[in-house]
Amino acid sequence: MQRTAKIFYVSLSLILSTSYASAQTQSFNAHEVCKAGIGLVMGRDVSTISAKSVENEVILNYTRPDGDKFQYKCVLPPNSNRVLWAAWIDGKWGRWRDTPADGELTYREDNKELVITETMPSARKPYSKKYQKSDF
């Protein structure tokens, strides 16, 4: 019985990690979607953001012109168009930005362009930005 539970747990872990890692659009991969999401929220050019996969998350880094370095992690939940992220703060990961007060960061593909939209509860209307494959 214990062996069956372990096999189930390992199988479920693989399914979840594959689902998060493969979340993307037809033309844009998870690294590009996460770079665009963080780029929109932080006002950064996506070409200055580096990305790598670690387990089921995308780890993003950039350095501002003043030398300050920033790090974020991002996931794209399966069966969703949400971009969830957290920041590296004071030597540890901060909380996931996934509450209604955080607003909502979403993605979609439209005519071979990646559209990232941030909807804040206090804003009158959402803010969107479009990216082309060449932006990355």
Side-chain angles (χ1 to χ4, degrees):
M1 186 73 161
Q2 195 173 19
R3 185 168 190 253
T4 304
K6 285 181 183 178
I7 291 171
F8 174 76
Y9 176 75
V10 169
S11 298
L12 182 60
S13 295
L14 288 172
I15 289 168
L16 288 175
S17 120
T18 302
S19 297
Y20 277 117
S22 65
Q24 58 191 17
T25 71
Q26 186 173 357
S27 301
F28 297 91
N29 63 41
H31 285 198
E32 293 163 333
V33 173
C34 287
K35 286 170 85 170
I38 291 298
L40 177 83
V41 171
M42 299 301 159
R44 309 306 310 164
D45 183 328
V46 294
S47 67
T48 67
I49 302 171
S50 66
K52 67 179 180 180
S53 294
V54 176
E55 295 180 12
N56 65 342
E57 299 170 343
V58 176
I59 305 298
L60 306 140
N61 295 281
Y62 67 82
T63 303
R64 285 193 324 212
D66 64 8
D68 284 348
K69 297 178 185 219
F70 295 86
Q71 186 171 352
Y72 303 91
K73 63 182 179 177
C74 169
V75 295
L76 306 175
N79 304 316
S80 169
N81 68 335
R82 299 264 325 252
V83 178
L84 302 180
W85 63 277
W88 183 258
I89 303 169
D90 297 328
K92 62 184 177 190
W93 286 114
R95 66 180 182 80
W96 287 104
R97 301 314 196 269
D98 60 358
T99 69
D102 295 320
E104 188 173 70
L105 191 60
T106 59
Y107 68 96
R108 66 183 169 83
E109 186 172 342
D110 183 27
N111 244 0
K112 299 258 184 201
E113 289 183 316
L114 176 62
V115 181
I116 300 290
T117 302
E118 183 178 35
T119 305
M120 297 300 291
S122 60
R124 293 181 76 191
K125 64 183 200 174
Y127 175 68
S128 294
K129 186 167 182 180
K130 293 182 179 184
Y131 298 89
Q132 296 182 353
K133 195 73 168 170
S134 61
D135 293 329
F136 300 95

